[in-house]
PDB file of all heavy atoms in Angstrom:
ATOM      1  N   SER A 168      66.413  69.784  55.159  1.00 92.00           N
ATOM      2  CA  SER A 168      67.350  70.704  55.816  1.00 92.00           C
ATOM      3  C   SER A 168      68.779  70.571  55.281  1.00 92.00           C
ATOM      4  O   SER A 168      69.562  71.507  55.367  1.00 92.00           O
ATOM      5  CB  SER A 168      67.345  70.470  57.326  1.00 92.00           C
ATOM      6  OG  SER A 168      67.731  69.136  57.635  1.00 92.00           O
ATOM      7  N   TYR A 169      69.113  69.401  54.714  1.00 94.00           N
ATOM      8  CA  TYR A 169      70.492  69.206  54.257  1.00 94.00           C
ATOM      9  C   TYR A 169      70.861  70.129  53.090  1.00 94.00           C
ATOM     10  O   TYR A 169      72.031  70.331  52.792  1.00 94.00           O
ATOM     11  CB  TYR A 169      70.786  67.752  53.907  1.00 94.00           C
ATOM     12  CG  TYR A 169      69.830  67.087  52.934  1.00 94.00           C
ATOM     13  CD1 TYR A 169      69.853  67.370  51.576  1.00 94.00           C
ATOM     14  CD2 TYR A 169      68.918  66.136  53.393  1.00 94.00           C
ATOM     15  CE1 TYR A 169      68.997  66.750  50.693  1.00 94.00           C
ATOM     16  CE2 TYR A 169      68.051  65.501  52.521  1.00 94.00           C
ATOM     17  CZ  TYR A 169      68.088  65.802  51.173  1.00 94.00           C
ATOM     18  OH  TYR A 169      67.234  65.181  50.312  1.00 94.00           O
ATOM     19  N   PHE A 170      69.876  70.738  52.424  1.00 95.00           N
ATOM     20  CA  PHE A 170      70.207  71.667  51.345  1.00 95.00           C
ATOM     21  C   PHE A 170      70.848  72.949  51.888  1.00 95.00           C
ATOM     22  O   PHE A 170      71.591  73.625  51.179  1.00 95.00           O
ATOM     23  CB  PHE A 170      68.965  72.002  50.514  1.00 95.00           C
ATOM     24  CG  PHE A 170      68.524  70.878  49.614  1.00 95.00           C
ATOM     25  CD1 PHE A 170      67.213  70.430  49.621  1.00 95.00           C
ATOM     26  CD2 PHE A 170      69.431  70.268  48.763  1.00 95.00           C
ATOM     27  CE1 PHE A 170      66.804  69.397  48.795  1.00 95.00           C
ATOM     28  CE2 PHE A 170      69.039  69.216  47.924  1.00 95.00           C
ATOM     29  CZ  PHE A 170      67.719  68.787  47.949  1.00 95.00           C
ATOM     30  N   ALA A 171      70.568  73.260  53.147  1.00 95.00           N
ATOM     31  CA  ALA A 171      71.187  74.441  53.773  1.00 95.00           C
ATOM     32  C   ALA A 171      72.663  74.183  54.085  1.00 95.00           C
ATOM     33  O   ALA A 171      73.398  75.114  54.438  1.00 95.00           O
ATOM     34  CB  ALA A 171      70.444  74.817  55.054  1.00 95.00           C
ATOM     35  N   GLU A 172      73.081  72.928  53.946  1.00 96.00           N
ATOM     36  CA  GLU A 172      74.476  72.548  54.185  1.00 96.00           C
ATOM     37  C   GLU A 172      75.221  72.295  52.881  1.00 96.00           C
ATOM     38  O   GLU A 172      76.399  71.945  52.884  1.00 96.00           O
ATOM     39  CB  GLU A 172      74.509  71.277  55.046  1.00 96.00           C
ATOM     40  CG  GLU A 172      73.810  71.448  56.387  1.00 96.00           C
ATOM     41  CD  GLU A 172      73.647  70.128  57.129  1.00 96.00           C
ATOM     42  OE1 GLU A 172      74.155  69.109  56.616  1.00 96.00           O
ATOM     43  OE2 GLU A 172      73.030  70.120  58.201  1.00 96.00           O
ATOM     44  N   ASP A 173      74.512  72.485  51.766  1.00 96.00           N
ATOM     45  CA  ASP A 173      75.083  72.223  50.443  1.00 96.00           C
ATOM     46  C   ASP A 173      75.744  73.506  49.933  1.00 96.00           C
ATOM     47  O   ASP A 173      75.074  74.495  49.636  1.00 96.00           O
ATOM     48  CB  ASP A 173      73.968  71.766  49.487  1.00 96.00           C
ATOM     49  CG  ASP A 173      74.489  71.318  48.141  1.00 96.00           C
ATOM     50  OD1 ASP A 173      75.254  72.096  47.513  1.00 96.00           O
ATOM     51  OD2 ASP A 173      74.128  70.213  47.700  1.00 96.00           O
ATOM     52  N   LYS A 174      77.047  73.494  49.813  1.00 96.00           N
ATOM     53  CA  LYS A 174      77.800  74.711  49.480  1.00 96.00           C
ATOM     54  C   LYS A 174      77.382  75.308  48.140  1.00 96.00           C
ATOM     55  O   LYS A 174      77.217  76.538  48.013  1.00 96.00           O
ATOM     56  CB  LYS A 174      79.301  74.384  49.481  1.00 96.00           C
ATOM     57  CG  LYS A 174      80.201  75.608  49.418  1.00 96.00           C
ATOM     58  CD  LYS A 174      81.661  75.196  49.624  1.00 96.00           C
ATOM     59  CE  LYS A 174      82.587  76.402  49.572  1.00 96.00           C
ATOM     60  NZ  LYS A 174      84.000  76.020  49.795  1.00 96.00           N
ATOM     61  N   GLU A 175      77.232  74.467  47.127  1.00 96.00           N
ATOM     62  CA  GLU A 175      76.876  74.971  45.800  1.00 96.00           C
ATOM     63  C   GLU A 175      75.490  75.613  45.811  1.00 96.00           C
ATOM     64  O   GLU A 175      75.289  76.692  45.237  1.00 96.00           O
ATOM     65  CB  GLU A 175      76.916  73.845  44.760  1.00 96.00           C
ATOM     66  CG  GLU A 175      76.631  74.351  43.346  1.00 96.00           C
ATOM     67  CD  GLU A 175      76.596  73.240  42.314  1.00 96.00           C
ATOM     68  OE1 GLU A 175      76.768  72.053  42.691  1.00 96.00           O
ATOM     69  OE2 GLU A 175      76.398  73.555  41.127  1.00 96.00           O
ATOM     70  N   ILE A 176      74.551  74.951  46.482  1.00 97.00           N
ATOM     71  CA  ILE A 176      73.191  75.487  46.548  1.00 97.00           C
ATOM     72  C   ILE A 176      73.166  76.812  47.297  1.00 97.00           C
ATOM     73  O   ILE A 176      72.512  77.779  46.879  1.00 97.00           O
ATOM     74  CB  ILE A 176      72.240  74.459  47.188  1.00 97.00           C
ATOM     75  CG1 ILE A 176      71.919  73.352  46.169  1.00 97.00           C
ATOM     76  CG2 ILE A 176      70.948  75.111  47.681  1.00 97.00           C
ATOM     77  CD1 ILE A 176      71.069  72.230  46.676  1.00 97.00           C
ATOM     78  N   VAL A 177      73.893  76.890  48.402  1.00 97.00           N
ATOM     79  CA  VAL A 177      73.935  78.131  49.184  1.00 97.00           C
ATOM     80  C   VAL A 177      74.579  79.257  48.371  1.00 97.00           C
ATOM     81  O   VAL A 177      74.084  80.391  48.366  1.00 97.00           O
ATOM     82  CB  VAL A 177      74.676  77.908  50.518  1.00 97.00           C
ATOM     83  CG1 VAL A 177      74.942  79.244  51.214  1.00 97.00           C
ATOM     84  CG2 VAL A 177      73.848  77.002  51.430  1.00 97.00           C
ATOM     85  N   LEU A 178      75.655  78.960  47.658  1.00 97.00           N
ATOM     86  CA  LEU A 178      76.314  79.984  46.838  1.00 97.00           C
ATOM     87  C   LEU A 178      75.398  80.488  45.726  1.00 97.00           C
ATOM     88  O   LEU A 178      75.356  81.690  45.438  1.00 97.00           O
ATOM     89  CB  LEU A 178      77.612  79.440  46.248  1.00 97.00           C
ATOM     90  CG  LEU A 178      78.820  79.439  47.185  1.00 97.00           C
ATOM     91  CD1 LEU A 178      79.983  78.658  46.569  1.00 97.00           C
ATOM     92  CD2 LEU A 178      79.270  80.864  47.521  1.00 97.00           C
ATOM     93  N   GLU A 179      74.638  79.586  45.122  1.00 97.00           N
ATOM     94  CA  GLU A 179      73.705  80.000  44.075  1.00 97.00           C
ATOM     95  C   GLU A 179      72.581  80.854  44.665  1.00 97.00           C
ATOM     96  O   GLU A 179      72.140  81.828  44.042  1.00 97.00           O
ATOM     97  CB  GLU A 179      73.124  78.783  43.357  1.00 97.00           C
ATOM     98  CG  GLU A 179      74.099  78.067  42.446  1.00 97.00           C
ATOM     99  CD  GLU A 179      74.586  78.927  41.279  1.00 97.00           C
ATOM    100  OE1 GLU A 179      73.903  79.904  40.912  1.00 97.00           O
ATOM    101  OE2 GLU A 179      75.659  78.612  40.734  1.00 97.00           O
ATOM    102  N   ALA A 180      72.136  80.489  45.863  1.00 97.00           N
ATOM    103  CA  ALA A 180      71.102  81.273  46.534  1.00 97.00           C
ATOM    104  C   ALA A 180      71.605  82.682  46.822  1.00 97.00           C
ATOM    105  O   ALA A 180      70.895  83.675  46.619  1.00 97.00           O
ATOM    106  CB  ALA A 180      70.676  80.578  47.824  1.00 97.00           C
ATOM    107  N   ILE A 181      72.851  82.772  47.262  1.00 97.00           N
ATOM    108  CA  ILE A 181      73.460  84.063  47.598  1.00 97.00           C
ATOM    109  C   ILE A 181      73.656  84.931  46.351  1.00 97.00           C
ATOM    110  O   ILE A 181      73.488  86.151  46.397  1.00 97.00           O
ATOM    111  CB  ILE A 181      74.794  83.839  48.330  1.00 97.00           C
ATOM    112  CG1 ILE A 181      74.520  83.356  49.757  1.00 97.00           C
ATOM    113  CG2 ILE A 181      75.642  85.107  48.359  1.00 97.00           C
ATOM    114  CD1 ILE A 181      75.754  82.869  50.484  1.00 97.00           C
ATOM    115  N   LYS A 182      73.986  84.305  45.229  1.00 96.00           N
ATOM    116  CA  LYS A 182      74.135  85.063  43.982  1.00 96.00           C
ATOM    117  C   LYS A 182      72.828  85.756  43.632  1.00 96.00           C
ATOM    118  O   LYS A 182      72.818  86.880  43.113  1.00 96.00           O
ATOM    119  CB  LYS A 182      74.537  84.126  42.834  1.00 96.00           C
ATOM    120  CG  LYS A 182      75.994  83.702  42.850  1.00 96.00           C
ATOM    121  CD  LYS A 182      76.274  82.778  41.676  1.00 96.00           C
ATOM    122  CE  LYS A 182      77.680  82.203  41.741  1.00 96.00           C
ATOM    123  NZ  LYS A 182      77.929  81.246  40.624  1.00 96.00           N
ATOM    124  N   ASN A 183      71.729  85.082  43.899  1.00 96.00           N
ATOM    125  CA  ASN A 183      70.425  85.669  43.610  1.00 96.00           C
ATOM    126  C   ASN A 183      70.005  86.665  44.676  1.00 96.00           C
ATOM    127  O   ASN A 183      69.475  87.738  44.375  1.00 96.00           O
ATOM    128  CB  ASN A 183      69.371  84.564  43.488  1.00 96.00           C
ATOM    129  CG  ASN A 183      67.980  85.117  43.292  1.00 96.00           C
ATOM    130  OD1 ASN A 183      67.270  85.401  44.256  1.00 96.00           O
ATOM    131  ND2 ASN A 183      67.583  85.289  42.054  1.00 96.00           N
ATOM    132  N   ASN A 184      70.265  86.302  45.939  1.00 96.00           N
ATOM    133  CA  ASN A 184      69.892  87.179  47.051  1.00 96.00           C
ATOM    134  C   ASN A 184      70.905  86.995  48.173  1.00 96.00           C
ATOM    135  O   ASN A 184      70.860  86.006  48.891  1.00 96.00           O
ATOM    136  CB  ASN A 184      68.475  86.841  47.548  1.00 96.00           C
ATOM    137  CG  ASN A 184      67.967  87.840  48.564  1.00 96.00           C
ATOM    138  OD1 ASN A 184      68.725  88.366  49.380  1.00 96.00           O
ATOM    139  ND2 ASN A 184      66.672  88.098  48.532  1.00 96.00           N
ATOM    140  N   PRO A 185      71.834  87.943  48.329  1.00 96.00           N
ATOM    141  CA  PRO A 185      72.909  87.770  49.316  1.00 96.00           C
ATOM    142  C   PRO A 185      72.422  87.572  50.744  1.00 96.00           C
ATOM    143  O   PRO A 185      73.096  86.920  51.543  1.00 96.00           O
ATOM    144  CB  PRO A 185      73.725  89.062  49.177  1.00 96.00           C
ATOM    145  CG  PRO A 185      72.867  90.007  48.425  1.00 96.00           C
ATOM    146  CD  PRO A 185      71.988  89.186  47.551  1.00 96.00           C
ATOM    147  N   LEU A 186      71.238  88.066  51.065  1.00 96.00           N
ATOM    148  CA  LEU A 186      70.729  87.904  52.425  1.00 96.00           C
ATOM    149  C   LEU A 186      70.221  86.481  52.686  1.00 96.00           C
ATOM    150  O   LEU A 186      69.864  86.139  53.809  1.00 96.00           O
ATOM    151  CB  LEU A 186      69.624  88.922  52.709  1.00 96.00           C
ATOM    152  CG  LEU A 186      70.062  90.388  52.650  1.00 96.00           C
ATOM    153  CD1 LEU A 186      68.921  91.304  53.057  1.00 96.00           C
ATOM    154  CD2 LEU A 186      71.285  90.656  53.531  1.00 96.00           C
ATOM    155  N   ALA A 187      70.213  85.648  51.645  1.00 96.00           N
ATOM    156  CA  ALA A 187      69.836  84.243  51.812  1.00 96.00           C
ATOM    157  C   ALA A 187      70.837  83.507  52.683  1.00 96.00           C
ATOM    158  O   ALA A 187      70.547  82.410  53.171  1.00 96.00           O
ATOM    159  CB  ALA A 187      69.713  83.562  50.455  1.00 96.00           C
ATOM    160  N   ILE A 188      72.005  84.107  52.921  1.00 97.00           N
ATOM    161  CA  ILE A 188      72.995  83.481  53.804  1.00 97.00           C
ATOM    162  C   ILE A 188      72.398  83.260  55.194  1.00 97.00           C
ATOM    163  O   ILE A 188      72.835  82.382  55.942  1.00 97.00           O
ATOM    164  CB  ILE A 188      74.289  84.328  53.892  1.00 97.00           C
ATOM    165  CG1 ILE A 188      75.412  83.513  54.552  1.00 97.00           C
ATOM    166  CG2 ILE A 188      74.043  85.649  54.594  1.00 97.00           C
ATOM    167  CD1 ILE A 188      76.776  84.191  54.492  1.00 97.00           C
ATOM    168  N   LYS A 189      71.387  84.026  55.525  1.00 96.00           N
ATOM    169  CA  LYS A 189      70.687  83.879  56.807  1.00 96.00           C
ATOM    170  C   LYS A 189      70.197  82.447  57.008  1.00 96.00           C
ATOM    171  O   LYS A 189      70.123  81.950  58.137  1.00 96.00           O
ATOM    172  CB  LYS A 189      69.507  84.846  56.860  1.00 96.00           C
ATOM    173  CG  LYS A 189      68.612  84.711  58.075  1.00 96.00           C
ATOM    174  CD  LYS A 189      67.450  85.686  58.017  1.00 96.00           C
ATOM    175  CE  LYS A 189      66.536  85.542  59.234  1.00 96.00           C
ATOM    176  NZ  LYS A 189      65.392  86.497  59.181  1.00 96.00           N
ATOM    177  N   TYR A 190      69.843  81.774  55.908  1.00 96.00           N
ATOM    178  CA  TYR A 190      69.233  80.451  55.995  1.00 96.00           C
ATOM    179  C   TYR A 190      70.222  79.315  55.731  1.00 96.00           C
ATOM    180  O   TYR A 190      69.820  78.148  55.668  1.00 96.00           O
ATOM    181  CB  TYR A 190      68.049  80.378  55.017  1.00 96.00           C
ATOM    182  CG  TYR A 190      67.044  81.483  55.269  1.00 96.00           C
ATOM    183  CD1 TYR A 190      66.963  82.579  54.416  1.00 96.00           C
ATOM    184  CD2 TYR A 190      66.218  81.445  56.386  1.00 96.00           C
ATOM    185  CE1 TYR A 190      66.068  83.605  54.673  1.00 96.00           C
ATOM    186  CE2 TYR A 190      65.327  82.474  56.637  1.00 96.00           C
ATOM    187  CZ  TYR A 190      65.256  83.549  55.781  1.00 96.00           C
ATOM    188  OH  TYR A 190      64.371  84.572  56.039  1.00 96.00           O
ATOM    189  N   ALA A 191      71.490  79.659  55.563  1.00 96.00           N
ATOM    190  CA  ALA A 191      72.516  78.623  55.407  1.00 96.00           C
ATOM    191  C   ALA A 191      72.772  77.952  56.750  1.00 96.00           C
ATOM    192  O   ALA A 191      72.421  78.484  57.806  1.00 96.00           O
ATOM    193  CB  ALA A 191      73.796  79.249  54.863  1.00 96.00           C
ATOM    194  N   SER A 192      73.388  76.803  56.712  1.00 95.00           N
ATOM    195  CA  SER A 192      73.711  76.103  57.954  1.00 95.00           C
ATOM    196  C   SER A 192      74.734  76.902  58.754  1.00 95.00           C
ATOM    197  O   SER A 192      75.426  77.782  58.221  1.00 95.00           O
ATOM    198  CB  SER A 192      74.294  74.722  57.640  1.00 95.00           C
ATOM    199  OG  SER A 192      75.561  74.864  57.009  1.00 95.00           O
TER     200      SER A 192
END
Side-chain angles (χ1 to χ4, degrees):
S168 60
Y169 53 75
F170 286 128
E172 301 171 4
D173 187 308
K174 191 172 180 179
E175 183 183 1
I176 284 176
V177 170
L178 280 170
E179 288 297 338
I181 287 170
K182 283 180 186 177
N183 176 272
N184 188 325
L186 297 185
I188 193 171
K189 174 182 179 180
Y190 304 105
S192 67

